[in-house]
């Protein structure tokens, strides 16, 4: 499979679970002589990602690593994340914080260098929840193409930059050019592995969750914690002045303003790196 040790990000969602299960299976079949490692992160041991990832790891027999982080640990790396991403997009930063911490763990605590990931399946197979609101199949297909063509600005950027910041090499098999495209909520992808016992049924048919939601504790979401932390760091006057201070991609929330302020300090006059911020379509 590789000359260097291989592992896999495992959120317990459909995409990373399938990649983990298949990579582990192929490793065994090809006589890899070390335990296949999987890595999951969350804000409590009961976060939905960690709970689901635990089931998958037990099912496929991987050497599983769980990383639990506190809000303070997340806050501490925000500037490092923005520096690595060279982005101020809110959704990208929210999900990148968890990926940054798990990548840091892999670098410091293991000898895994090559890490597989489930990136790309949501764009390819129309896995985001807002696809339910697509007016017709043609519009949905066009949106899927748009997401794939702009991945380098958002999810693809996160996966590439955050792992590279820790000397890791990411592999994204769903973005292989030979992968077929499926239907809404990745039904084709799920059905392709139904009845194979490759994954627990609860995971194979687990509802899509954003990375920044899946890592959350049961008490409060990571998004809400970030927003509460930032609330007093950005004033109402800052928001009032935002259209004049940041005329391009004007921040629409205090969280967006906070990230943009850090970005402008690190990369002055480079806001055009992002033509627009990531938003769901067909939803209010």
């Amino acid at each position: 499979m590789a000359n260097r040790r291989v592992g896999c990000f495992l959120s317990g969602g459909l995409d990373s679970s399938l990649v983990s299960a298949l990579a582990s299976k192929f490793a065994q079949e090809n006589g890899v002589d070390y335990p296949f490692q999987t890595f999951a992160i969350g804000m409590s041991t009961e976060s939905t990602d960690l709970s689901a990832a635990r089931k998958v790891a037990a099912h496929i027999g991987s050497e599983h690593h769980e990383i639990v982080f506190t809000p303070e640990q997340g806050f501490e790396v925000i500037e490092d994340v923005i520096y690595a991403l060279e982005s101020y997009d809110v959704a990208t930063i929210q999900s990148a914080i968890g990926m940054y911490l798990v990548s840091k763990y892999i670098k410091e605590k293991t000898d895994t260098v090559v890490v597989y990931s489930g990136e790309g399946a949501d764009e390819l197979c129309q896995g985001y929840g807002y696809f339910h609101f697509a007016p017709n199949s043609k519009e949905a297909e066009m949106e899927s193409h748009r997401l794939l063509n702009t991945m380098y600005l958002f999810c693809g950027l996160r996966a590439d930059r955050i792992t590279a910041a820790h000397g890791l090499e990411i592999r994204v098999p769903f973005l292989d050019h030979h992968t077929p495209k499926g239907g809404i909520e990745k039904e084709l992808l799920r059905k392709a592995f139904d009845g194979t016992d490759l994954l627990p049924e609860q995971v194979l048919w687990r509802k899509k969750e954003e990375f920044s939601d899946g890592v959350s504790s049961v008490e409060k979401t990571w998004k809400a914690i970030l927003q509460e932390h930032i609330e007093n760091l950005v004033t109402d006057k800052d928001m009032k002045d935002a259209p004049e201070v940041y005329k391009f991609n004007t921040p629409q929330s205090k969280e967006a303003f906070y990230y943009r302020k850090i970005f402008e300090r690190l990369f002055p006059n480079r806001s055009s790196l992002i033509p627009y911020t990531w938003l769901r379509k067909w939803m209010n």
Side-chain angles (χ1 to χ4, degrees):
M1 295 175 66
N3 293 325
R4 285 160 288 187
R5 183 160 185 164
V6 175
C8 194
F9 291 125
L10 176 58
S11 69
L14 174 67
D15 313 331
S16 65
S17 297
L18 283 173
V19 172
S20 295
L22 288 168
S24 177
K25 179 175 181 289
F26 294 152
Q28 294 173 26
E29 291 174 353
N30 285 276
V32 172
D33 59 358
Y34 55 76
F36 185 79
Q37 294 180 328
T38 49
F39 305 94
I41 189 166
M43 300 189 74
S44 83
T45 55
E46 300 309 312
S47 71
T48 54
D49 273 8
L50 286 185
S51 297
R54 208 174 294 134
K55 291 178 184 176
V56 175
H59 190 82
I60 67 176
S62 64
E63 179 189 299
H64 191 54
H65 297 248
E66 289 189 356
I67 299 91
V68 176
F69 73 99
T70 65
E72 291 71 26
Q73 288 173 316
F75 303 151
E76 286 173 3
V77 300
I78 287 175
E79 183 165 329
D80 293 332
V81 166
I82 294 173
Y83 180 77
L85 287 174
E86 299 183 33
S87 173
Y88 51 87
D89 180 70
V90 172
T92 305
I93 293 168
Q94 286 175 345
S95 58
I97 291 169
M99 190 175 226
Y100 186 93
L101 292 171
V102 70
S103 296
K104 184 173 185 288
Y105 173 92
I106 295 171
K107 172 67 174 178
E108 295 178 351
K109 304 293 185 181
T110 79
D111 57 353
T112 287
V113 177
V114 177
V115 189
Y116 278 85
S117 171
E119 302 289 345
D122 287 318
E123 291 79 4
L124 184 71
C125 301
Q126 303 176 7
Y128 292 115
Y130 71 81
F131 275 97
H132 284 296
F133 300 94
N136 53 61
S137 60
K138 181 64 177 176
E139 289 286 326
E141 182 184 3
M142 290 173 62
E143 174 64 1
S144 183
H145 279 284
R146 184 188 71 82
L147 289 172
L148 286 165
N149 288 333
T150 58
M151 272 196 74
Y152 72 98
L153 295 169
F154 304 109
C155 294
L157 179 79
R158 165 175 53 77
D160 178 55
R161 298 289 182 84
I162 294 302
T163 51
H166 294 90
L168 304 178
E169 298 178 23
I170 195 166
R171 299 289 186 269
V172 284
F174 282 115
L175 294 175
D176 187 287
H177 289 187
H178 299 290
T179 304
K181 189 152 59 173
I184 287 179
E185 282 289 4
K186 298 178 281 194
E187 184 179 6
L188 178 63
L189 192 59
R190 299 176 193 276
K191 284 185 174 179
F193 295 95
D194 197 16
T196 65
D197 197 38
L198 190 69
L199 292 177
E201 283 292 301
Q202 309 98 300
V203 175
L204 184 63
W205 295 97
R206 181 188 172 196
K207 184 180 177 182
K208 162 71 181 173
E209 280 189 293
E210 294 182 19
F211 187 73
S212 52
D213 290 334
V215 301
S216 302
S217 67
V218 293
E219 291 82 16
K220 189 179 293 185
T221 69
W222 175 226
K223 288 181 183 178
I225 291 171
L226 278 169
Q227 289 161 2
E228 287 179 10
H229 172 70
I230 292 168
E231 176 65 28
N232 296 322
L233 300 177
V234 177
T235 67
D236 292 338
K237 185 177 184 304
D238 288 331
M239 293 305 299
K240 183 179 179 181
D241 295 341
E244 285 300 316
V245 177
Y246 304 121
K247 294 182 179 180
F248 179 75
N249 277 343
T250 302
Q252 300 299 308
S253 67
K254 289 189 174 182
E255 184 181 10
F257 187 98
Y258 180 71
Y259 298 152
R260 181 65 173 273
K261 187 176 180 181
I262 294 173
F263 176 88
E264 293 291 345
R265 175 164 48 81
L266 295 171
F267 307 105
N269 303 316
R270 294 291 185 272
S271 61
S272 61
L273 287 172
I274 303 173
Y276 56 87
T277 55
W278 199 96
L279 292 173
R280 300 173 181 85
K281 292 189 71 172
W282 310 305
M283 298 175 68
N284 295 327

